[in-house]
Amino acid sequence: QLQLVESGGGLVQPGGSLRLFCAASGFTLDYYDIGWFRQAPGKERQRVSCISSSGSSTNYLDSVKGRFTISRDNAKNTVYLQMNSLKPEDTAVYYCVIVQGLGCSLRIGSWGQGTQVTVSS
């Protein structure tokens, strides 16, 4: 099913930081483009960030540019999302998934459980 496992979410105050982790069990990630997505209750799913298989190309949702950084360490079979200067509107369940195509528009993998990020004072 090419399902990934997210972790690292939690409760943080506005202006705080979190690092999310994306890992695979039973296969390697180095051949795949990976996207981070988020969905808040009552809102559409958003594509937050994507990274190419080699890590040489990245893109971001406009509202997170300058605050979030996607990276990967293929030797550790892990993709990361560093989130700084968090805002209440960043509150959502965050998912990572194997993607393909321009702007990570084609989903290859299946959705996992996600990890909850809550930004609140």
Side-chain angles (χ1 to χ4, degrees):
Q1 292 284 345
L2 297 179
Q3 185 172 302
L4 307 180
V5 179
E6 306 91 343
S7 62
L11 175 64
V12 66
Q13 293 185 338
S17 298
L18 286 172
R19 173 169 280 200
L20 304 185
F21 303 82
C22 176
S25 181
F27 64 96
T28 58
L29 292 177
D30 56 339
Y31 295 109
Y32 301 108
D33 300 341
I34 304 295
W36 281 100
F37 297 77
R38 69 185 184 188
Q39 188 163 29
K43 296 186 177 182
E44 294 183 349
R45 183 185 295 116
Q46 295 178 305
R47 184 170 59 251
V48 177
S49 185
C50 297
I51 188 166
S52 63
S53 59
S54 67
S56 62
S57 179
T58 61
N59 61 66
Y60 297 90
L61 182 68
D62 283 346
S63 62
V64 308
K65 288 180 179 177
R67 300 189 297 120
F68 291 10
T69 302
I70 191 170
S71 62
R72 67 191 301 160
D73 187 340
N74 285 341
K76 296 181 178 179
N77 208 34
T78 304
V79 176
Y80 309 92
L81 184 67
Q82 178 68 45
M83 305 185 296
N84 299 327
S85 302
L86 283 162
K87 304 175 180 179
E89 50 263 45
D90 295 318
T91 296
V93 178
Y94 284 70
Y95 305 87
C96 63
V97 67
I98 296 172
V99 296
Q100 194 175 71
L102 184 63
C104 305
S105 59
L106 179 63
R107 179 172 60 85
I108 301 300
S110 58
W111 299 109
Q113 294 279 71
T115 186
Q116 176 72 49
V117 172
T118 302
V119 185
S120 177
S121 59

